[in-house]
Amino acid sequence: MTRWKRSLTFMLCAVLLFSMTACTDVPTPIEPSDSTVPETTAPAKPDGAKLFADARAAVDEAENLTLKVTLKDSSTVGASTYTSTSKQTLKLSDLNTDSFKASLEESLEIMGETTEFEEYFESSTLYVTVDDDYAFQGSMSAEEFTDRMVPAVLLDAALYGSITAEENASGTVITFTQPNGAEAWCMPEPAELTEATGTAQLNKDGQLISTTYNISYILGGIIVSQCFNCVITI
């Protein structure tokens, strides 16, 4: 091969190699990024104790209240169990004033037998009617009347080791667990508490609209379970 032919062959090979290199995409190395994904913080859960305190304060300050209460009681002695159900509608007017008035309608069913009660309170006097054929009256202060009837719907937050709040379709439900004692209005002093839980339902405006309270205790040889449910209208 002559010298100029060898030079031409070398040039053609060089051109072909250059063309192949030019048509090939060589990936560009990606440098690692120093940026980090920001940490997300879960939203804080609502403070159940504070929500309940605020809602209860509104009830304490209300001028008028309507309470619809259902109480179911089950008492077991040996092999026998006795049940009762009380349904009450309590209307309180002009609370915390000298004009305070209240009316109560109650239907009490004990082992299939029902008794109807009506109570009316005004001017420190309580009027009671039983089954429309027995009536009596007695003196009672407004404080004594409300202390007897109202506490069943206002749970004592100090009695519970755990108070939690969760949002639901109606607003917020507050749950009371880990009791260190029973609500003062329901369990006799010598009894032994075995379990107690409660709930308070707030609407979306934070207003208390219902409560529940479930308690079990032992009194002597009697095992007692009670379930309270109350609907509250301010």
Side-chain angles (χ1 to χ4, degrees):
M1 179 180 295
T2 61
R3 180 180 299 175
W4 69 271
K5 287 184 178 181
R6 287 197 300 269
S7 298
L8 180 60
T9 300
F10 175 78
M11 291 175 63
L12 289 174
C13 291
V15 171
L16 179 60
L17 179 61
F18 176 80
S19 299
M20 291 175 63
T21 304
C23 294
T24 302
D25 293 330
V26 179
T28 303
I30 300 176
E31 296 294 332
S33 175
D34 292 333
S35 62
T36 58
V37 178
E39 295 183 0
T40 57
T41 303
K45 287 189 175 182
D47 185 338
K50 184 179 186 308
L51 290 174
F52 181 71
D54 292 344
R56 172 165 175 163
V59 174
D60 290 337
E61 296 169 2
E63 295 181 0
N64 304 296
L65 279 177
T66 297
L67 310 175
K68 293 186 176 182
V69 181
T70 300
L71 163 62
K72 294 184 178 181
D73 182 286
S74 174
S75 299
T76 300
V77 183
S80 301
T81 298
Y82 304 90
T83 61
S84 67
T85 300
S86 172
K87 295 182 179 181
Q88 306 173 5
T89 298
L90 176 64
K91 295 182 179 181
L92 309 169
S93 303
D94 300 319
L95 281 158
N96 304 312
T97 72
D98 293 336
S99 302
F100 171 71
K101 296 182 291 294
S103 65
L104 171 68
E105 295 180 357
E106 179 181 6
S107 175
L108 176 61
E109 183 270 323
I110 301 177
M111 300 298 291
E113 296 291 332
T114 301
T115 303
E116 303 291 338
F117 297 86
E118 290 186 2
E119 294 186 13
Y120 181 76
F121 178 89
E122 185 176 14
S123 302
S124 299
T125 303
L126 178 66
Y127 305 87
V128 180
T129 302
V130 182
D131 283 339
D132 292 328
D133 56 14
Y134 178 72
F136 62 92
Q137 69 183 58
S139 297
M140 179 179 287
S141 69
E143 290 77 11
E144 288 173 329
F145 183 88
T146 54
D147 286 348
R148 179 172 66 96
M149 301 302 303
V150 177
V153 305
L154 297 178
L155 301 174
D156 183 355
L159 293 173
Y160 303 91
S162 174
I163 302 175
T164 59
E166 295 288 343
E167 294 183 357
N168 60 10
S170 299
T172 303
V173 60
I174 302 171
T175 302
F176 302 79
T177 56
Q178 300 178 16
N180 55 51
E183 297 287 340
W185 44 266
C186 69
M187 190 179 79
E189 184 66 29
E192 177 187 353
L193 177 67
T194 56
E195 185 57 55
T197 60
T199 66
Q201 178 65 55
L202 312 186
N203 64 15
K204 294 183 180 179
D205 294 325
Q207 185 180 70
L208 183 62
I209 58 175
S210 67
T211 57
T212 67
Y213 183 63
N214 298 326
I215 182 171
S216 298
Y217 59 87
I218 300 174
L219 179 60
I222 306 173
I223 301 173
V224 181
S225 296
Q226 295 178 329
C227 300
F228 294 83
N229 183 289
C230 181
V231 177
I232 304 164
T233 303
I234 299 177

